[in-house]
Amino acid sequence: LGEALGDAAYKYFRNNPAHITESRLTCLSPLIGRACWQQLRGLIAPPQPTACPDSPEAVLAWFRNEYLPYREWQERSGNQQAHDRVLELARQFAEWYLGFYPKALVASSASSYLNFFKLKRSQKDDPYVTLLVVLDGLHAADARTFLQKLQTKTGRLTERQNEVVFTAIPTVTEFAKEALLKGVPPKDSANVEYLGKIFPERKTPLSCLDSATPGEIFIWRIQEPDSTYHSRNFDEMLETEVEGELLKVADKLAEVAGQLSGQIPLRIIVTSDHGRLLASSSRHVRVPDGMKAHGRAAWGHMQRDFPASGYIIDDNC
């Protein structure tokens, strides 16, 4: 019924764009596919975001409620003035995060906002069996689509929490994923065991979950949607391909939930190791000597003296 209502509303607003509002668009997000939602998103300009705030709680709310809707509309509409504003806001966030991140690594009051500190190691008093599902490179817009797909596939799961968090620096899979799966910063991940038993994408954790006891953690690593973004990056049907892969993952998770014994107190956490840029881009900054590059990140040893802040801003680097 929800899909039918969503499809009817989508067709109506496509033919009557003057009637769509921000609140109606928000209500529609769980009912229609990503491609359809993005089309409607391009029909109405959200309010221009305010400046990036200076507390982690405010930044996360600002990203979800102000920046992301505006960014999605800007990317869809191609508005140049909005693009300039997005670059300005993104730079504000980057400079704020460079100051916040080192503090969050050592301060317990701030560390709870980092994804790799969110899940604690197995605890005997934990009443749940935890399945951590890690989708590679899942950004906030795709997460919204995935949740919508999952909710249509099974009635056995109840959404308890839906939030955005900060990820590791650098946002490169080999660093960010190890940190997430081990519950420590990237610099410490080489010497720490994984939080729980790991299952590859093509192996179901169902049999282990059926015999699990509360407090145990199981990790299911999924290479999507990152794999599709990389392999089909210039495909005109990229968004449709990504949505299809997310649907497959939702099917797998719904199957696990549907077949698992009702006696197992299962908690499922779906998250990602890193986010994604909502556009294509080219790297124009030269990779510094002694460093290795991947996408928009580089790491290694630099022959530079850094101030107490730990970073230097040099043009766009």
Side-chain angles (χ1 to χ4, degrees), residues 171-174 226 230 274 283 287 292-299:
T171 54
V172 177
T173 294
E174 65 181 271
D226 197 68
H230 283 297
H274 61 83
R283 183 171 63 238
V287 179
K292 178 182 177 181
H294 179 87
R296 290 163 295 280
W299 62 93

mmCIF file with all atom_site columns, all heavy atoms in Angstrom, residues 171-174 226 230 274 283 287 292-299:
data_model
loop_
_atom_site.group_PDB
_atom_site.id
_atom_site.type_symbol
_atom_site.label_atom_id
_atom_site.label_alt_id
_atom_site.label_comp_id
_atom_site.label_asym_id
_atom_site.label_entity_id
_atom_site.label_seq_id
_atom_site.pdbx_PDB_ins_code
_atom_site.Cartn_x
_atom_site.Cartn_y
_atom_site.Cartn_z
_atom_site.occupancy
_atom_site.B_iso_or_equiv
_atom_site.pdbx_formal_charge
_atom_site.auth_seq_id
_atom_site.auth_comp_id
_atom_site.auth_asym_id
_atom_site.auth_atom_id
_atom_site.pdbx_PDB_model_num
ATOM 1   N N   . THR A 1 171 ? 39.361 9.192  4.843   1.00 0.00 ? 171 THR A N   1
ATOM 2   C CA  . THR A 1 171 ? 38.179 8.412  4.487   1.00 0.00 ? 171 THR A CA  1
ATOM 3   C C   . THR A 1 171 ? 38.500 7.490  3.314   1.00 0.00 ? 171 THR A C   1
ATOM 4   O O   . THR A 1 171 ? 37.910 7.572  2.244   1.00 0.00 ? 171 THR A O   1
ATOM 5   C CB  . THR A 1 171 ? 36.997 9.331  4.122   1.00 0.00 ? 171 THR A CB  1
ATOM 6   O OG1 . THR A 1 171 ? 37.428 10.234 3.093   1.00 0.00 ? 171 THR A OG1 1
ATOM 7   C CG2 . THR A 1 171 ? 36.529 10.112 5.323   1.00 0.00 ? 171 THR A CG2 1
ATOM 8   N N   . VAL A 1 172 ? 39.459 6.613  3.525   1.00 0.00 ? 172 VAL A N   1
ATOM 9   C CA  . VAL A 1 172 ? 39.875 5.621  2.546   1.00 0.00 ? 172 VAL A CA  1
ATOM 10  C C   . VAL A 1 172 ? 39.586 4.258  3.152   1.00 0.00 ? 172 VAL A C   1
ATOM 11  O O   . VAL A 1 172 ? 39.872 4.021  4.328   1.00 0.00 ? 172 VAL A O   1
ATOM 12  C CB  . VAL A 1 172 ? 41.372 5.763  2.216   1.00 0.00 ? 172 VAL A CB  1
ATOM 13  C CG1 . VAL A 1 172 ? 41.820 4.686  1.243   1.00 0.00 ? 172 VAL A CG1 1
ATOM 14  C CG2 . VAL A 1 172 ? 41.653 7.147  1.647   1.00 0.00 ? 172 VAL A CG2 1
ATOM 15  N N   . THR A 1 173 ? 39.008 3.352  2.370   1.00 0.00 ? 173 THR A N   1
ATOM 16  C CA  . THR A 1 173 ? 38.521 2.083  2.889   1.00 0.00 ? 173 THR A CA  1
ATOM 17  C C   . THR A 1 173 ? 39.542 1.354  3.752   1.00 0.00 ? 173 THR A C   1
ATOM 18  O O   . THR A 1 173 ? 39.220 0.862  4.828   1.00 0.00 ? 173 THR A O   1
ATOM 19  C CB  . THR A 1 173 ? 38.066 1.177  1.731   1.00 0.00 ? 173 THR A CB  1
ATOM 20  O OG1 . THR A 1 173 ? 36.926 1.773  1.096   1.00 0.00 ? 173 THR A OG1 1
ATOM 21  C CG2 . THR A 1 173 ? 37.667 -0.199 2.232   1.00 0.00 ? 173 THR A CG2 1
ATOM 22  N N   . GLU A 1 174 ? 40.794 1.259  3.297   1.00 0.00 ? 174 GLU A N   1
ATOM 23  C CA  . GLU A 1 174 ? 41.764 0.448  4.030   1.00 0.00 ? 174 GLU A CA  1
ATOM 24  C C   . GLU A 1 174 ? 42.057 0.996  5.422   1.00 0.00 ? 174 GLU A C   1
ATOM 25  O O   . GLU A 1 174 ? 42.503 0.262  6.299   1.00 0.00 ? 174 GLU A O   1
ATOM 26  C CB  . GLU A 1 174 ? 43.060 0.312  3.241   1.00 0.00 ? 174 GLU A CB  1
ATOM 27  C CG  . GLU A 1 174 ? 43.836 1.594  3.033   1.00 0.00 ? 174 GLU A CG  1
ATOM 28  C CD  . GLU A 1 174 ? 45.107 1.350  2.217   1.00 0.00 ? 174 GLU A CD  1
ATOM 29  O OE1 . GLU A 1 174 ? 46.149 1.047  2.830   1.00 0.00 ? 174 GLU A OE1 1
ATOM 30  O OE2 . GLU A 1 174 ? 45.047 1.468  0.978   1.00 0.00 ? 174 GLU A OE2 1
ATOM 31  N N   . ASP A 1 226 ? 29.780 0.850  -2.822  1.00 0.00 ? 226 ASP A N   1
ATOM 32  C CA  . ASP A 1 226 ? 31.066 1.349  -3.298  1.00 0.00 ? 226 ASP A CA  1
ATOM 33  C C   . ASP A 1 226 ? 31.511 0.666  -4.593  1.00 0.00 ? 226 ASP A C   1
ATOM 34  O O   . ASP A 1 226 ? 31.994 1.308  -5.514  1.00 0.00 ? 226 ASP A O   1
ATOM 35  C CB  . ASP A 1 226 ? 32.128 1.159  -2.215  1.00 0.00 ? 226 ASP A CB  1
ATOM 36  C CG  . ASP A 1 226 ? 33.367 1.998  -2.454  1.00 0.00 ? 226 ASP A CG  1
ATOM 37  O OD1 . ASP A 1 226 ? 33.267 3.236  -2.344  1.00 0.00 ? 226 ASP A OD1 1
ATOM 38  O OD2 . ASP A 1 226 ? 34.426 1.433  -2.756  1.00 0.00 ? 226 ASP A OD2 1
ATOM 39  N N   . HIS A 1 230 ? 32.254 2.569  -8.231  1.00 0.00 ? 230 HIS A N   1
ATOM 40  C CA  . HIS A 1 230 ? 33.556 2.553  -8.895  1.00 0.00 ? 230 HIS A CA  1
ATOM 41  C C   . HIS A 1 230 ? 33.488 1.910  -10.284 1.00 0.00 ? 230 HIS A C   1
ATOM 42  O O   . HIS A 1 230 ? 34.110 2.391  -11.230 1.00 0.00 ? 230 HIS A O   1
ATOM 43  C CB  . HIS A 1 230 ? 34.580 1.811  -8.031  1.00 0.00 ? 230 HIS A CB  1
ATOM 44  C CG  . HIS A 1 230 ? 35.076 2.613  -6.872  1.00 0.00 ? 230 HIS A CG  1
ATOM 45  N ND1 . HIS A 1 230 ? 35.773 3.788  -7.023  1.00 0.00 ? 230 HIS A ND1 1
ATOM 46  C CD2 . HIS A 1 230 ? 34.970 2.414  -5.535  1.00 0.00 ? 230 HIS A CD2 1
ATOM 47  C CE1 . HIS A 1 230 ? 36.083 4.285  -5.838  1.00 0.00 ? 230 HIS A CE1 1
ATOM 48  N NE2 . HIS A 1 230 ? 35.597 3.471  -4.916  1.00 0.00 ? 230 HIS A NE2 1
ATOM 49  N N   . HIS A 1 274 ? 32.785 4.883  5.422   1.00 0.00 ? 274 HIS A N   1
ATOM 50  C CA  . HIS A 1 274 ? 33.026 6.255  4.967   1.00 0.00 ? 274 HIS A CA  1
ATOM 51  C C   . HIS A 1 274 ? 31.880 6.713  4.083   1.00 0.00 ? 274 HIS A C   1
ATOM 52  O O   . HIS A 1 274 ? 31.055 5.910  3.660   1.00 0.00 ? 274 HIS A O   1
ATOM 53  C CB  . HIS A 1 274 ? 34.358 6.367  4.215   1.00 0.00 ? 274 HIS A CB  1
ATOM 54  C CG  . HIS A 1 274 ? 34.428 5.521  2.966   1.00 0.00 ? 274 HIS A CG  1
ATOM 55  N ND1 . HIS A 1 274 ? 33.914 5.940  1.770   1.00 0.00 ? 274 HIS A ND1 1
ATOM 56  C CD2 . HIS A 1 274 ? 34.952 4.287  2.745   1.00 0.00 ? 274 HIS A CD2 1
ATOM 57  C CE1 . HIS A 1 274 ? 34.125 5.002  0.854   1.00 0.00 ? 274 HIS A CE1 1
ATOM 58  N NE2 . HIS A 1 274 ? 34.750 3.987  1.412   1.00 0.00 ? 274 HIS A NE2 1
ATOM 59  N N   . ARG A 1 283 ? 41.022 15.388 -9.440  1.00 0.00 ? 283 ARG A N   1
ATOM 60  C CA  . ARG A 1 283 ? 42.010 15.882 -8.491  1.00 0.00 ? 283 ARG A CA  1
ATOM 61  C C   . ARG A 1 283 ? 42.964 16.833 -9.214  1.00 0.00 ? 283 ARG A C   1
ATOM 62  O O   . ARG A 1 283 ? 43.642 16.454 -10.160 1.00 0.00 ? 283 ARG A O   1
ATOM 63  C CB  . ARG A 1 283 ? 42.791 14.717 -7.870  1.00 0.00 ? 283 ARG A CB  1
ATOM 64  C CG  . ARG A 1 283 ? 43.785 15.166 -6.811  1.00 0.00 ? 283 ARG A CG  1
ATOM 65  C CD  . ARG A 1 283 ? 44.408 13.997 -6.048  1.00 0.00 ? 283 ARG A CD  1
ATOM 66  N NE  . ARG A 1 283 ? 45.176 13.134 -6.906  1.00 0.00 ? 283 ARG A NE  1
ATOM 67  C CZ  . ARG A 1 283 ? 44.957 11.844 -7.074  1.00 0.00 ? 283 ARG A CZ  1
ATOM 68  N NH1 . ARG A 1 283 ? 43.961 11.264 -6.442  1.00 0.00 ? 283 ARG A NH1 1
ATOM 69  N NH2 . ARG A 1 283 ? 45.708 11.120 -7.869  1.00 0.00 ? 283 ARG A NH2 1
ATOM 70  N N   . VAL A 1 287 ? 50.012 15.654 -5.663  1.00 0.00 ? 287 VAL A N   1
ATOM 71  C CA  . VAL A 1 287 ? 50.256 14.821 -4.488  1.00 0.00 ? 287 VAL A CA  1
ATOM 72  C C   . VAL A 1 287 ? 51.617 15.201 -3.899  1.00 0.00 ? 287 VAL A C   1
ATOM 73  O O   . VAL A 1 287 ? 52.628 15.193 -4.594  1.00 0.00 ? 287 VAL A O   1
ATOM 74  C CB  . VAL A 1 287 ? 50.251 13.328 -4.857  1.00 0.00 ? 287 VAL A CB  1
ATOM 75  C CG1 . VAL A 1 287 ? 50.536 12.469 -3.616  1.00 0.00 ? 287 VAL A CG1 1
ATOM 76  C CG2 . VAL A 1 287 ? 48.918 12.943 -5.476  1.00 0.00 ? 287 VAL A CG2 1
ATOM 77  N N   . LYS A 1 292 ? 51.139 8.951  -0.747  1.00 0.00 ? 292 LYS A N   1
ATOM 78  C CA  . LYS A 1 292 ? 50.382 8.093  -1.650  1.00 0.00 ? 292 LYS A CA  1
ATOM 79  C C   . LYS A 1 292 ? 48.961 8.612  -1.729  1.00 0.00 ? 292 LYS A C   1
ATOM 80  O O   . LYS A 1 292 ? 48.383 8.989  -0.707  1.00 0.00 ? 292 LYS A O   1
ATOM 81  C CB  . LYS A 1 292 ? 50.394 6.656  -1.122  1.00 0.00 ? 292 LYS A CB  1
ATOM 82  C CG  . LYS A 1 292 ? 49.584 5.664  -1.949  1.00 0.00 ? 292 LYS A CG  1
ATOM 83  C CD  . LYS A 1 292 ? 49.632 4.289  -1.305  1.00 0.00 ? 292 LYS A CD  1
ATOM 84  C CE  . LYS A 1 292 ? 48.769 3.295  -2.075  1.00 0.00 ? 292 LYS A CE  1
ATOM 85  N NZ  . LYS A 1 292 ? 48.782 1.949  -1.434  1.00 0.00 ? 292 LYS A NZ  1
ATOM 86  N N   . ALA A 1 293 ? 48.380 8.629  -2.910  1.00 0.00 ? 293 ALA A N   1
ATOM 87  C CA  . ALA A 1 293 ? 47.041 9.205  -3.086  1.00 0.00 ? 293 ALA A CA  1
ATOM 88  C C   . ALA A 1 293 ? 46.016 8.141  -3.438  1.00 0.00 ? 293 ALA A C   1
ATOM 89  O O   . ALA A 1 293 ? 46.319 7.126  -4.065  1.00 0.00 ? 293 ALA A O   1
ATOM 90  C CB  . ALA A 1 293 ? 47.067 10.265 -4.176  1.00 0.00 ? 293 ALA A CB  1
ATOM 91  N N   . HIS A 1 294 ? 44.782 8.418  -3.025  1.00 0.00 ? 294 HIS A N   1
ATOM 92  C CA  . HIS A 1 294 ? 43.635 7.609  -3.403  1.00 0.00 ? 294 HIS A CA  1
ATOM 93  C C   . HIS A 1 294 ? 42.434 8.535  -3.426  1.00 0.00 ? 294 HIS A C   1
ATOM 94  O O   . HIS A 1 294 ? 42.022 9.040  -2.380  1.00 0.00 ? 294 HIS A O   1
ATOM 95  C CB  . HIS A 1 294 ? 43.411 6.474  -2.400  1.00 0.00 ? 294 HIS A CB  1
ATOM 96  C CG  . HIS A 1 294 ? 42.214 5.620  -2.730  1.00 0.00 ? 294 HIS A CG  1
ATOM 97  N ND1 . HIS A 1 294 ? 42.284 4.539  -3.577  1.00 0.00 ? 294 HIS A ND1 1
ATOM 98  C CD2 . HIS A 1 294 ? 40.922 5.702  -2.330  1.00 0.00 ? 294 HIS A CD2 1
ATOM 99  C CE1 . HIS A 1 294 ? 41.088 3.982  -3.682  1.00 0.00 ? 294 HIS A CE1 1
ATOM 100 N NE2 . HIS A 1 294 ? 40.239 4.677  -2.939  1.00 0.00 ? 294 HIS A NE2 1
ATOM 101 N N   . GLY A 1 295 ? 41.869 8.765  -4.611  1.00 0.00 ? 295 GLY A N   1
ATOM 102 C CA  . GLY A 1 295 ? 40.738 9.688  -4.704  1.00 0.00 ? 295 GLY A CA  1
ATOM 103 C C   . GLY A 1 295 ? 41.144 11.081 -4.255  1.00 0.00 ? 295 GLY A C   1
ATOM 104 O O   . GLY A 1 295 ? 42.099 11.662 -4.761  1.00 0.00 ? 295 GLY A O   1
ATOM 105 N N   . ARG A 1 296 ? 40.432 11.591 -3.247  1.00 0.00 ? 296 ARG A N   1
ATOM 106 C CA  . ARG A 1 296 ? 40.708 12.944 -2.759  1.00 0.00 ? 296 ARG A CA  1
ATOM 107 C C   . ARG A 1 296 ? 41.541 12.952 -1.489  1.00 0.00 ? 296 ARG A C   1
ATOM 108 O O   . ARG A 1 296 ? 41.631 13.972 -0.805  1.00 0.00 ? 296 ARG A O   1
ATOM 109 C CB  . ARG A 1 296 ? 39.370 13.677 -2.517  1.00 0.00 ? 296 ARG A CB  1
ATOM 110 C CG  . ARG A 1 296 ? 38.636 14.012 -3.815  1.00 0.00 ? 296 ARG A CG  1
ATOM 111 C CD  . ARG A 1 296 ? 37.180 14.338 -3.562  1.00 0.00 ? 296 ARG A CD  1
ATOM 112 N NE  . ARG A 1 296 ? 36.450 13.192 -3.053  1.00 0.00 ? 296 ARG A NE  1
ATOM 113 C CZ  . ARG A 1 296 ? 35.983 12.197 -3.820  1.00 0.00 ? 296 ARG A CZ  1
ATOM 114 N NH1 . ARG A 1 296 ? 36.208 12.222 -5.125  1.00 0.00 ? 296 ARG A NH1 1
ATOM 115 N NH2 . ARG A 1 296 ? 35.321 11.197 -3.293  1.00 0.00 ? 296 ARG A NH2 1
ATOM 116 N N   . ALA A 1 297 ? 42.143 11.818 -1.139  1.00 0.00 ? 297 ALA A N   1
ATOM 117 C CA  . ALA A 1 297 ? 42.947 11.740 0.080   1.00 0.00 ? 297 ALA A CA  1
ATOM 118 C C   . ALA A 1 297 ? 44.377 11.332 -0.247  1.00 0.00 ? 297 ALA A C   1
ATOM 119 O O   . ALA A 1 297 ? 44.638 10.686 -1.262  1.00 0.00 ? 297 ALA A O   1
ATOM 120 C CB  . ALA A 1 297 ? 42.335 10.737 1.056   1.00 0.00 ? 297 ALA A CB  1
ATOM 121 N N   . ALA A 1 298 ? 45.303 11.735 0.602   1.00 0.00 ? 298 ALA A N   1
ATOM 122 C CA  . ALA A 1 298 ? 46.699 11.323 0.469   1.00 0.00 ? 298 ALA A CA  1
ATOM 123 C C   . ALA A 1 298 ? 47.271 11.109 1.859   1.00 0.00 ? 298 ALA A C   1
ATOM 124 O O   . ALA A 1 298 ? 46.861 11.748 2.821   1.00 0.00 ? 298 ALA A O   1
ATOM 125 C CB  . ALA A 1 298 ? 47.508 12.371 -0.287  1.00 0.00 ? 298 ALA A CB  1
ATOM 126 N N   . TRP A 1 299 ? 48.227 10.195 1.982   1.00 0.00 ? 299 TRP A N   1
ATOM 127 C CA  . TRP A 1 299 ? 48.835 9.923  3.277   1.00 0.00 ? 299 TRP A CA  1
ATOM 128 C C   . TRP A 1 299 ? 50.298 9.536  3.091   1.00 0.00 ? 299 TRP A C   1
ATOM 129 O O   . TRP A 1 299 ? 50.731 9.156  2.013   1.00 0.00 ? 299 TRP A O   1
ATOM 130 C CB  . TRP A 1 299 ? 48.075 8.819  4.016   1.00 0.00 ? 299 TRP A CB  1
ATOM 131 C CG  . TRP A 1 299 ? 48.075 7.493  3.307   1.00 0.00 ? 299 TRP A CG  1
ATOM 132 C CD1 . TRP A 1 299 ? 48.948 6.458  3.483   1.00 0.00 ? 299 TRP A CD1 1
ATOM 133 C CD2 . TRP A 1 299 ? 47.153 7.049  2.298   1.00 0.00 ? 299 TRP A CD2 1
ATOM 134 N NE1 . TRP A 1 299 ? 48.645 5.406  2.648   1.00 0.00 ? 299 TRP A NE1 1
ATOM 135 C CE2 . TRP A 1 299 ? 47.542 5.745  1.916   1.00 0.00 ? 299 TRP A CE2 1
ATOM 136 C CE3 . TRP A 1 299 ? 46.039 7.636  1.691   1.00 0.00 ? 299 TRP A CE3 1
ATOM 137 C CZ2 . TRP A 1 299 ? 46.854 5.013  0.953   1.00 0.00 ? 299 TRP A CZ2 1
ATOM 138 C CZ3 . TRP A 1 299 ? 45.370 6.900  0.722   1.00 0.00 ? 299 TRP A CZ3 1
ATOM 139 C CH2 . TRP A 1 299 ? 45.761 5.617  0.363   1.00 0.00 ? 299 TRP A CH2 1
#
